[in-house]
């Protein structure tokens, strides 16, 4: 009886230890997009998204820790209008020839139970690095029936002051300095 009890306790301890291991998730590019929204003279909202991105997320749900490292190809911008895409990539705005990528590295995760609610990190954009907080609008992990692996992801948002990153085109005409960024992300367990 004592041996059985000890074996059960040891198995439970090992199972708990195994669950506390950090797990790496590779960004799934067909379900991950970074989009931005900025008002256009106080009337409509200009939107665009970046189609090429790569990176990883490491989660330790038991320890409530994580790390994310995502790189975005700035030349993959798609506003739905070719002429606007070219202007966004020009030296007047993102200067993609000089700054071809943007990168977000976050290492402070806030959890509510098993759900990530916020990620604090550093965004490098237009050659400048500043702190950014991504707030989770939703977050979930599930067993994906197609790839037969766990997938975690959600929708996150942040508000950026673009002039802080040296992107100040149109400020003197009344374009806002504040840009809303929405990240739709899914990562597949490796």
């Amino acid at each position: 009886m004592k041996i059985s009890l000890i074996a059960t306790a040891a198995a439970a301890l090992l199972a708990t230890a195994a669950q506390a291991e950090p797990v790496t998730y590779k960004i799934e590019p067909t379900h991950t997009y970074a989009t931005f929204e900025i008002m256009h003279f106080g009337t409509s909202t200009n939107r665009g998204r970046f189609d090429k991105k790569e990176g990883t997320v490491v989660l330790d749900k038991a320890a409530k820790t994580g790390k994310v490292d995502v790189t975005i190809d700035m030349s993959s911008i798609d506003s739905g209008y070719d002429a606007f895409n070219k202007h966004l990539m020009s030296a007047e705005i993102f200067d993609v020839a000089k700054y071809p990528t943007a990168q977000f590295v976050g290492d402070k995760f806030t959890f509510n139970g098993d759900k990530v609610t916020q990620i604090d990190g550093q965004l490098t954009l237009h050659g400048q690095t500043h702190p950014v907080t991504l707030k989770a609008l939703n977050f979930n992990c599930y067993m994906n029936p197609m790839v037969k692996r766990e997938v975690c992801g959600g929708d996150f948002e942040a508000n950026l002051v673009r002039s802080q990153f040296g992107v100040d085109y149109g400020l003197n005409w009344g374009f806002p300095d504040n840009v809303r960024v929405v990240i739709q992300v899914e990562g597949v367990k490796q």
Side-chain angles (χ1 to χ4, degrees):
M1 181 84 144
K2 281 185 178 178
I3 293 174
S4 171
L5 199 55
I6 292 171
T8 301
L13 183 60
L14 286 173
T16 302
Q19 291 173 356
E21 292 293 317
V23 176
T24 299
Y25 300 82
K26 185 176 180 184
I27 298 298
E28 205 289 301
T30 63
H31 291 94
T32 301
Y33 295 96
T35 61
F36 68 87
E37 301 175 350
I38 185 169
M39 289 296 295
H40 186 251
F41 289 109
T43 56
S44 61
T45 303
N46 282 335
R47 292 180 174 87
R49 81 177 194 188
F50 297 93
D51 291 333
K52 293 180 184 174
K53 59 271 151 197
E54 62 183 24
T56 58
V57 178
V58 178
L59 279 179
D60 188 332
K61 294 178 201 169
K64 306 289 190 237
T65 61
K67 181 168 182 162
V68 61
D69 188 340
V70 177
T71 300
I72 296 170
D73 178 345
M74 296 298 287
S75 70
S76 71
I77 194 162
D78 185 0
S79 67
Y81 183 54
D82 287 338
F84 188 40
N85 294 344
K86 288 177 185 167
H87 188 225
L88 288 166
M89 287 189 279
S90 76
E92 285 188 314
I93 302 180
F94 289 125
D95 199 357
V96 172
K98 189 172 180 182
Y99 308 108
T101 61
Q103 182 180 27
F104 177 75
V105 177
D107 60 1
K108 184 177 178 214
F109 281 52
T110 304
F111 284 77
N112 182 2
D114 286 339
K115 303 220 183 256
V116 176
T117 59
Q118 182 172 301
I119 302 171
D120 292 294
Q122 299 287 319
L123 175 65
T124 301
L125 172 69
H126 204 253
Q128 307 220 9
T129 303
H130 295 285
V132 168
T133 297
L134 297 175
K135 295 190 184 257
L137 303 173
N138 60 65
F139 181 85
N140 190 42
C141 295
Y142 68 99
M143 182 55 70
N144 185 299
M146 291 176 265
V147 297
K148 309 285 190 245
R149 287 194 242 160
E150 183 184 44
V151 171
C152 291
D155 294 318
F156 294 81
E157 71 176 357
N159 286 300
L160 304 180
V161 177
R162 64 189 176 97
S163 63
Q164 189 176 37
F165 293 92
V167 181
D168 56 7
Y169 177 81
L171 287 177
N172 57 337
W173 297 337
F175 290 146
D177 205 7
N178 190 53
V179 177
R180 180 175 182 242
V181 176
V182 179
I183 311 293
Q184 163 195 333
V185 61
E186 289 190 23
V188 180
K189 183 177 179 179
Q190 300 301 290

